[in-house]
Amino acid sequence: MREPVELRRKRILAVVHARGAVKVSSLADELDVSAVTLRRDVEELARSGMLRRGHGVVGPVGDAGRTAAVPAARTGEQAGREAAVALVVPERHSYLYETLHGARTALEEAGARIALHIAPQAAGAERPQVERALAAGVRGLLIAPRWRSAAGEEADYGWLAEVGVPTVLMERRPRPGSALHALDSVCSDHWYGIHLAVDHLISLGHRRLVLAARNDSPTARSLRAAFADIAAARPEVEDWSVVLSSPNAGPGEPGTREEVPDLTALVRERGVTGAVLHGDEDALMLVQRLAESGIRVPRDCSVVAYDDVVAALGSTALTAVAPPRAEIGRAAAELLLHRLAGTTGPVRRTELLPRLEVRGSTQELHQPTI
């Protein structure tokens, strides 16, 4: 039997008056009412002066000053109580700072109080920052550990799985079966990003490819593994290799050493006509070195950058894979706010797809001149 309109609206008023300002979308979920129906009810209740409406928010009459800045993570324990959320990111990491900006924007829109913690570059630097945040009383955690090596990543699994507050990993995907496998996470689908780059080069006729990548981050390790899988599986690819992109792109795994090749010489020796570089700065540097040695981009060698932070700013604007950095942060923050609001349900391991921005550094292969 359909619920009477009067009863449904009484339930809406009861929740709003008990809790204070609340997001319309959250209220619809809680009352098991469609968003369209709830908005219609809210409009009528506001028109009759029984509650106040804001941008996507509804609150009791007399609460106008706070209706526009409602915490989406309101628990109902105390009307108007703000959620304190810790954001932990590594220092000097421009890629993750854009993710941080996306998370911060979503949290500020929800009225959550943010405590930002910047982890130094030393191994294990995130744990003291998290402990400090917990001691200060934060109720939720958004974190993007640096994880320079797989060993360093494994070392963080145990304590991070036991922080005791809702936690969401940003742009990180823990090892399957690890203690963090069942932790909420939001990240880019880097396999798909490499697929976009390789498929683009192949579509232009390139058959001899190289990936020059870092080896000191989870993203770099994902890109290397994805490139090897994809290049080996594509019958069009005649030759491929994975090398370190620059001397400062390591050190990678403890006890290992990877030589840094002369990429210009490698391009010549192996007849490479398509190169994928992680990240943008190394890609821009390669274009400069190739030009100095007489190898023209894109006529002789097409170059795709991976990151798209500054790829478009070179003298030759670089075609680039663009992970959805800001959207990762926003989605992670929204997931955390749902958890803080008491939303239950299965753990979410969300992946967002990168896009390919085609610019001037790639073109169809003609007769190679190198």
Side-chain angles (χ1 to χ4, degrees), residues 117-308:
H117 294 260
I118 306 297
Q121 297 191 40
E126 285 82 11
R127 185 172 186 174
Q129 301 298 325
V130 171
E131 291 174 345
R132 188 171 296 114
L134 293 173
V138 299
R139 296 173 47 230
L141 173 64
L142 287 174
I143 184 169
R146 188 180 295 273
W147 284 347
R148 286 188 177 275
S149 68
E153 179 178 334
E154 293 278 349
D156 282 345
Y157 283 172
W159 69 264
L160 192 50
E162 299 177 352
V163 295
V165 298
T167 300
V168 179
L169 286 171
M170 298 186 298
E171 201 59 288
R172 297 293 183 256
R173 176 70 78 237
R175 174 180 58 78
S178 70
L180 296 186
H181 190 125
L183 188 70
D184 286 325
S185 61
V186 181
C187 71
S188 301
D189 185 344
H190 293 302
W191 187 97
Y192 183 74
I194 288 294
H195 163 75
L196 289 175
V198 172
D199 194 63
H200 175 63
L201 291 171
I202 289 175
S203 73
L204 296 174
H206 299 282
R207 300 293 182 262
R208 306 182 71 82
L209 311 178
V210 63
L211 170 71
R214 308 186 64 85
N215 193 25
D216 56 2
S217 74
T219 296
R221 294 190 288 274
S222 295
L223 299 184
R224 286 168 159 251
F227 186 88
D229 287 345
I230 293 168
R234 293 295 296 263
E236 304 96 326
V237 177
E238 299 172 0
D239 182 78
W240 62 272
S241 56
V242 176
V243 299
L244 199 63
S245 55
S246 70
N248 66 350
E253 300 303 317
T256 64
R257 179 175 177 80
E258 187 175 358
E259 296 297 327
V260 182
D262 181 334
L263 285 177
T264 301
L266 184 146
V267 168
R268 287 188 180 279
E269 292 167 3
R270 302 190 67 154
V272 171
T273 64
V276 182
L277 273 288
H278 175 232
D280 291 357
E281 292 183 10
D282 289 333
L284 291 168
M285 291 295 295
L286 174 64
V287 171
Q288 293 177 20
R289 291 197 299 270
L290 290 175
E292 291 166 358
S293 66
I295 300 174
R296 295 161 295 180
V297 174
R299 180 177 177 83
D300 302 323
C301 183
S302 287
V303 175
V304 178
Y306 198 102
D307 274 359
D308 202 30

